[in-house]
């Protein structure tokens, strides 16, 4: 499957989540139409998109060609180095951000978030501003870390006032200040 940050940017431009084979057929046409004036070869089959977006089961990884086309469609340029380029994609702007004020949560609520660069967390709220990490995809945070968080906002860095691992306070954690910050914020029902 493609990295979450790229998936988010492609789906944002496409205007909806890519969940079904029909979505992949429409996206394939949209990519070809959108990139037709580009000098690169920009055709990507709907079957390739089904594998890349996890619509069908596939154990392999997408090719660099597939990642390049998706990154160009999303406005990121070539995939190789796109992570470094995202720093310059954001200009000053006003934005209606989604926000979670931790004090408003109930104990045992589960929160999923994705933040730059392609970090995924599943957190369980324990109360008193503390979350326990249930799942983590990459980065410095680990399963069972306790995170003290006051608020989480889309499009801003993910900030923990402090992190406790195995009873030891590791201090404040701030996600990368480059890129889009938190790109997905979802409370489980």
């Amino acid at each position: 499957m493609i990295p979450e940050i790229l998936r988010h940017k492609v789906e944002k431009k496409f205007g909806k989540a890519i969940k079904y084979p029909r979505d992949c057929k429409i996206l394939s046409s949209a990519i070809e139409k959108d990139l037709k004036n580009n000098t690169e070869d920009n055709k990507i089959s709907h079957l390739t998109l089904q594998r890349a977006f996890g619509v069908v089961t596939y154990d392999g990884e997408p090719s660099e060609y597939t990642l390049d086309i998706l990154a160009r469609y999303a406005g990121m340029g070539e995939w190789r180095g796109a992570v470094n380029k995202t720093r310059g994609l954001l200009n000053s702007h006003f934005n209606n951000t989604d926000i979670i004020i931790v004090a408003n949560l109930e104990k045992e609520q589960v929160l999923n978030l994705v933040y730059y660069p392609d970090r995924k967390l599943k957190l369980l709220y324990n109360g008193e501003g503390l979350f326990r990490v249930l799942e983590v995809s990459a980065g410095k945070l680990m399963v069972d870390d306790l995170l003290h968080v006051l608020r989480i906002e889309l499009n801003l860095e993910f900030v923990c006032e402090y992190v406790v691992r195995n009873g030891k306070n590791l201090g404040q954690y701030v996600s990368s200040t480059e890129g889009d910050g938190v790109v997905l914020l979802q409370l489980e029902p």
Side-chain angles (χ1 to χ4, degrees), residues 31-49:
I31 290 170
E32 187 174 350
K33 182 179 177 182
D34 190 71
L35 299 177
K36 70 180 175 185
N37 294 330
N38 193 309
T39 58
E40 304 291 327
D41 183 15
N42 294 302
K43 294 186 180 186
I44 187 167
S45 101
H46 67 281
L47 298 174
T48 298
L49 292 171

Side-chain angles (χ1 to χ4, degrees), residues 28-29 33 44 58 79 87 103 113 122-123 143 186:
S28 176
S29 296
K33 182 179 177 182
I44 187 167
Y58 179 67
W79 176 246
R87 178 184 319 163
L113 69 122
K122 183 176 224 171
L123 305 173
V143 171
Q186 181 181 51

Side-chain angles (χ1 to χ4, degrees), residues 9-81:
K9 287 183 175 287
V10 168
E11 290 178 338
K12 184 175 181 179
K13 178 167 183 173
F14 186 59
K16 64 183 259 179
I18 311 298
K19 296 181 184 177
Y20 306 107
R22 170 179 46 106
D23 298 331
C24 295
K25 282 187 177 186
I26 296 168
L27 178 60
S28 176
S29 296
I31 290 170
E32 187 174 350
K33 182 179 177 182
D34 190 71
L35 299 177
K36 70 180 175 185
N37 294 330
N38 193 309
T39 58
E40 304 291 327
D41 183 15
N42 294 302
K43 294 186 180 186
I44 187 167
S45 101
H46 67 281
L47 298 174
T48 298
L49 292 171
Q50 287 178 19
R51 291 188 297 271
F53 282 89
V55 174
V56 296
T57 303
Y58 179 67
D59 291 333
E61 293 294 320
S63 69
E64 190 167 328
Y65 173 82
T66 298
L67 295 172
D68 278 345
I69 289 176
L70 291 172
R72 283 196 300 269
Y73 174 73
M76 300 170 71
E78 300 298 315
W79 176 246
R80 187 181 298 268

Side-chain angles (χ1 to χ4, degrees), residues 76 78-89 116-117 178-179:
M76 300 170 71
E78 300 298 315
W79 176 246
R80 187 181 298 268
V83 170
N84 293 331
K85 294 177 188 175
T86 58
R87 178 184 319 163
L89 293 178
Y116 179 89
E178 297 177 4

Side-chain angles (χ1 to χ4, degrees), residues 131-136 141-147 164-166:
F131 289 88
R132 184 168 60 87
V133 177
L134 299 176
E135 296 175 17
V136 62
L141 298 175
M142 299 175 70
V143 171
D144 289 328
D145 281 351
L146 289 176
L147 315 178
V164 176
R165 180 176 298 150
N166 299 323

